Amino acid sequence: MSKYAKLFQLIEKAETITIFSHIFPDGDAIGSLVGLKETIKASFPNKSVFALGTNVDEFVPLVGKLDVVSDEVIASSFAIIVDVANKDRVEDQRYLLAKSTFLIDHHLFVETFTNETIIDNDKVATCEIIAEFIENENLNISPLGATALLLGILTDSGRYLYNPTGAQTLHLSAQLIKKGADLSKINYELSKKDINKVRFRGYLLTNFKTKDGVCYIKISQSKLKHFNIDASDMSSYVNHLGNIKGYPCWATFAEDIHGKIYVELRSRNINVNQVALKFGGGGHLCASGCRLESFKDVPKVINELIKAIKETKA
Amino acid sequence: MSKYAKLFQLIEKAETITIFSHIFPDGDAIGSLVGLKETIKASFPNKSVFALGTNVDEFVPLVGKLDVVSDEVIASSFAIIVDVANKDRVEDQRYLLAKSTFLIDHHLFVETFTNETIIDNDKVATCEIIAEFIENENLNISPLGATALLLGILTDSGRYLYNPTGAQTLHLSAQLIKKGADLSKINYELSKKDINKVRFRGYLLTNFKTKDGVCYIKISQSKLKHFNIDASDMSSYVNHLGNIKGYPCWATFAEDIHGKIYVELRSRNINVNQVALKFGGGGHLCASGCRLESFKDVPKVINELIKAIKETKA
């Protein structure tokens, strides 16, 4: 039996289904939660389905609020966890109460913590997996659910920019629009910007420095405070310094409230992970991070990045 | 006979085909030129096909160089003009020498200047029309041609951001990737940034002003010179001030080398065209431009924008 047929069968058997995702839910988490709930509701109208989670205010205009349920409901349910690789990152640990559990995820495998799984690293978003499930099993979905799934695909793929975006990503997106996904509304909600954050971007683009192929910026805590930005938010800003011709690496060094430095390292084809590892951090080949005790160590990191660039060229 | 069948028949009949597009070719122009050439070459290997145009250096890494041909070749050819609404905007006016002419375009109709036409305003790019032609007539295309067509769809739709992007746009994009379009290479080429232009963006985002719902900036000629930017280039920068929460209109005022002011006006849902018209300009409902004699008139334009915002709310 295919993995999708198995999931279909387990949903068919359950009366109550609860859906969980990760802490600090992003577009793919909330998209998967709401998209899967709307799929099950539209395909099996007699089942009780609950999508659980918090802190999704930003996405409420697009997909509505999430559900709140009692321990008893979870205990009587088939729990589906979406878009999570580590059990500790499941936001609501009450998933452990459920009768049985199923994971749908697109991250690299970390650990087994559910009875069954669909893990597919060839998908750019968990929402893409759910969209393929809908197509393969010929399921229904509401326009709201289709919008939720398209939201997850757009955010996790960076508008079809990141690998592994492929023909199937675009094909499934087209199918979701045919089922009522409101691309124009998603575009509008995602394009809305906060004036403070725009001015902070201006600060980054005006004050960054360059050295031997590296674009970087040191940002003091007082400057962050001025723009109302958290040092840990740099992962969503570092790429504003990216893909500049002649500068294969880019980095941000942001001072937190304790004086320690959040470091984000990025590149297109240079191994910055090896640099992060040297300073006790880690991540992906071209997107890594670490922490420093103070700004004093910044030149050391820059020098390691320059070394990595030279090694790649050599 | 369908419009696509008619085009197919005319291509089938011709021995030599020349393809023309507009002055200052953009991604959709070069994508249509190369995409259509590669379609005809792959589907009718015995025909001579030439895609004509200049000034496309920026796109050469993706789609190669364009062709140069003699007047005699054009005179013996069936000429297809792509992505042009006005005859004066055809870059190489020698299309008039051709035996017969055909226009493929997605702009609003301006004038008839070819024997036959396919004009489809419901397509976000002329490349999307050509991709639909391929699908409808079951034609072949090389991976190079598929890459060219996807380039045009991505640039003219702003990565699927602008209307009328729809299910068909994403479906045809998926088909092009299946035929070998290199999305990852396009993403890379389009994401490369010039450090001067990045710093100019920093200048815009750091120095813009706000007044009653309008974000705007006045940019002196000396500042433009410093960043090596032309006043007429503002249409590609104005949207950096766009979609900020609480600011439904945004505008740039850039001083040219003669001291006159290039004005770009944008909004999401306010009629800025009526404002542009008052100052002798024009354009689209939410994207218009005009010229001013000097910076002295800027407050007048801002006040008209504020009035337009109030009218929309009232």
Side-chain angles (χ1 to χ4, degrees):
Chain A
M1 188 186 292
S2 83
K3 57 190 182 177
Y4 288 137
K6 178 79 189 171
L7 174 60
F8 179 84
Q9 199 187 57
L10 291 170
I11 290 171
E12 211 177 16
K13 273 203 318 205
E15 266 177 43
T16 303
I17 294 150
T18 49
I19 314 174
F20 299 78
S21 190
H22 58 72
I23 49 174
F24 306 121
D26 58 2
D28 195 25
I30 179 127
S32 299
L33 284 163
V34 175
L36 185 58
K37 174 183 168 178
E38 292 293 310
T39 303
I40 300 172
K41 273 176 58 186
S43 306
F44 305 94
N46 295 323
K47 296 192 190 300
S48 299
V49 198
F50 304 99
L52 311 180
T54 60
N55 291 311
V56 293
D57 291 357
E58 174 188 359
F59 300 113
V60 166
L62 280 172
V63 297
K65 293 189 178 182
L66 295 177
D67 301 312
V68 177
V69 297
S70 67
D71 293 2
E72 288 68 33
V73 169
I74 297 172
S76 73
S77 76
F78 169 46
I80 306 176
I81 294 100
V82 291
D83 199 41
V84 193
N86 319 42
K87 71 174 173 209
D88 290 349
R89 276 180 60 83
V90 182
E91 189 188 35
D92 186 342
Q93 287 287 324
R94 295 182 300 162
Y95 80 95
L96 292 162
L97 301 172
K99 281 195 209 167
S100 67
T101 54
F102 197 110
L103 174 70
I104 307 174
D105 190 31
H106 74 123
H107 295 101
L108 287 173
F109 174 78
V110 176
E111 59 187 338
T112 300
F113 59 99
T114 56
N115 302 120
E116 306 269 351
T117 63
I118 293 175
I119 299 177
D120 184 352
N121 305 144
D122 289 335
K123 294 286 187 293
V124 76
T126 299
C127 284
E128 190 185 347
I129 303 176
I130 297 169
E132 193 172 76
F133 171 55
I134 292 169
E135 181 168 68
N136 275 32
E137 301 302 312
N138 201 16
L139 300 175
N140 298 322
I141 188 168
S142 65
L144 172 69
T147 298
L149 293 179
L150 189 58
L151 165 71
I153 292 175
L154 280 165
T155 51
D156 254 31
S157 74
R159 305 194 75 81
Y160 310 106
L161 193 61
Y162 308 135
N163 286 327
T165 298
Q168 182 71 348
T169 320
L170 290 149
H171 163 70
L172 291 169
S173 301
Q175 295 299 107
L176 291 171
I177 296 171
K178 283 186 198 157
K179 287 177 188 291
D182 192 338
L183 175 63
S184 165
K185 196 173 169 192
I186 299 171
N187 282 336
Y188 173 59
E189 289 297 332
L190 294 182
S191 69
K192 283 200 281 186
K193 291 177 280 193
D194 176 89
I195 197 162
N196 248 329
K197 293 182 175 169
V198 171
R199 292 203 190 276
F200 180 63
R201 261 169 54 191
Y203 176 79
L204 292 181
L205 298 183
T206 308
N207 293 284
F208 73 94
K209 308 270 179 257
T210 60
K211 189 175 179 197
D212 297 345
V214 182
C215 288
Y216 70 97
I217 189 167
K218 293 192 287 183
I219 315 152
S220 68
Q221 175 55 215
S222 68
K223 198 50 86 177
L224 288 171
K225 218 167 160 184
H226 171 76
F227 289 108
N228 197 23
I229 307 272
D230 199 281
S232 62
D233 289 342
M234 282 312 112
S235 61
S236 57
Y237 288 99
V238 61
N239 279 329
H240 292 302
L241 305 182
N243 291 320
I244 299 175
K245 284 178 219 166
Y247 299 89
C249 285
W250 51 99
T252 53
F253 300 90
E255 186 182 28
D256 74 10
I257 50 170
H258 309 294
K260 300 209 171 165
I261 313 299
Y262 271 90
V263 182
E264 294 288 348
L265 308 175
R266 297 290 186 279
S267 84
R268 208 187 94 83
N269 59 355
I270 310 288
N271 184 345
V272 296
N273 187 46
Q274 61 169 350
V275 177
L277 288 171
K278 280 184 188 159
F279 296 91
H284 306 275
L285 197 69
C286 296
S288 284
C290 60
R291 303 290 296 272
L292 300 175
E293 283 302 311
S294 78
F295 279 135
K296 269 194 301 186
D297 292 333
V298 170
K300 289 184 201 163
V301 178
I302 304 285
N303 284 337
E304 290 295 333
L305 289 173
I306 294 167
K307 243 202 266 178
I309 294 170
K310 282 184 185 149
E311 277 167 21
T312 307
K313 280 185 187 156
Chain B
M1 189 185 292
S2 83
K3 56 193 180 174
Y4 288 136
K6 178 79 189 173
L7 174 60
F8 179 85
Q9 198 188 58
L10 291 170
I11 291 171
E12 210 176 17
K13 275 203 317 206
E15 266 177 45
T16 302
I17 294 151
T18 50
I19 314 175
F20 299 78
S21 191
H22 58 73
I23 49 174
F24 306 120
D26 58 2
D28 195 27
I30 177 125
S32 299
L33 284 163
V34 176
L36 184 59
K37 175 183 167 179
E38 291 294 310
T39 302
I40 300 172
K41 274 175 57 187
S43 307
F44 305 93
N46 294 323
K47 296 191 189 301
S48 300
V49 197
F50 304 99
L52 310 180
T54 60
N55 292 310
V56 293
D57 291 357
E58 170 188 2
F59 301 113
V60 165
L62 279 171
V63 297
K65 292 189 179 180
L66 295 177
D67 301 312
V68 177
V69 298
S70 67
D71 294 2
E72 288 68 33
V73 169
I74 296 172
S76 73
S77 75
F78 169 46
I80 307 177
I81 294 100
V82 290
D83 199 42
V84 193
N86 319 41
K87 71 173 174 214
D88 289 349
R89 276 180 60 83
V90 182
E91 188 188 36
D92 186 342
Q93 287 286 323
R94 295 181 300 162
Y95 79 95
L96 292 162
L97 301 172
K99 281 195 205 165
S100 66
T101 54
F102 197 110
L103 173 70
I104 308 174
D105 189 31
H106 74 124
H107 294 101
L108 287 173
F109 174 78
V110 176
E111 59 188 337
T112 300
F113 60 99
T114 57
N115 303 121
E116 305 270 352
T117 63
I118 293 176
I119 299 178
D120 184 353
N121 305 144
D122 290 333
K123 294 283 188 291
V124 75
T126 298
C127 283
E128 189 185 348
I129 303 176
I130 297 169
E132 192 172 76
F133 171 55
I134 293 169
E135 181 168 65
N136 275 32
E137 301 302 312
N138 202 16
L139 299 175
N140 297 323
I141 187 167
S142 66
L144 172 69
T147 298
L149 292 179
L150 189 58
L151 165 71
I153 292 175
L154 279 166
T155 50
D156 254 30
S157 73
R159 306 194 76 79
Y160 309 107
L161 192 62
Y162 308 135
N163 286 326
T165 297
Q168 181 71 348
T169 320
L170 290 148
H171 163 72
L172 291 169
S173 301
Q175 295 299 108
L176 291 170
I177 295 172
K178 283 185 198 157
K179 287 175 188 291
D182 192 338
L183 175 62
S184 166
K185 195 172 170 194
I186 299 171
N187 283 335
Y188 174 58
E189 289 297 332
L190 293 183
S191 69
K192 283 199 281 185
K193 291 177 281 192
D194 176 87
I195 197 162
N196 248 330
K197 292 182 177 172
V198 172
R199 293 202 190 277
F200 180 62
R201 259 168 55 191
Y203 176 79
L204 291 182
L205 299 183
T206 308
N207 294 283
F208 73 92
K209 308 271 180 256
T210 60
K211 190 177 177 195
D212 298 346
V214 182
C215 287
Y216 69 98
I217 188 166
K218 293 191 287 182
I219 315 151
S220 68
Q221 176 54 216
S222 67
K223 198 51 85 176
L224 288 171
K225 218 169 162 182
H226 171 77
F227 289 107
N228 197 22
I229 307 273
D230 200 281
S232 63
D233 289 340
M234 282 311 112
S235 62
S236 57
Y237 288 99
V238 60
N239 280 329
H240 292 302
L241 304 183
N243 292 320
I244 300 176
K245 284 176 219 166
Y247 299 90
C249 285
W250 52 100
T252 54
F253 300 89
E255 186 182 29
D256 74 11
I257 50 170
H258 308 294
K260 299 209 174 168
I261 313 300
Y262 271 91
V263 183
E264 292 288 349
L265 308 175
R266 296 292 185 276
S267 84
R268 208 186 95 82
N269 60 357
I270 310 286
N271 183 345
V272 296
N273 186 47
Q274 62 169 348
V275 177
L277 289 170
K278 281 184 188 158
F279 295 91
H284 306 274
L285 196 68
C286 296
S288 285
C290 60
R291 304 291 296 273
L292 300 175
E293 283 302 310
S294 79
F295 279 135
K296 269 194 302 186
D297 293 332
V298 170
K300 289 183 202 164
V301 178
I302 304 286
N303 284 336
E304 290 294 334
L305 290 174
I306 294 168
K307 242 202 265 179
I309 294 170
K310 282 186 186 149
E311 277 166 21
T312 307
K313 281 186 188 155

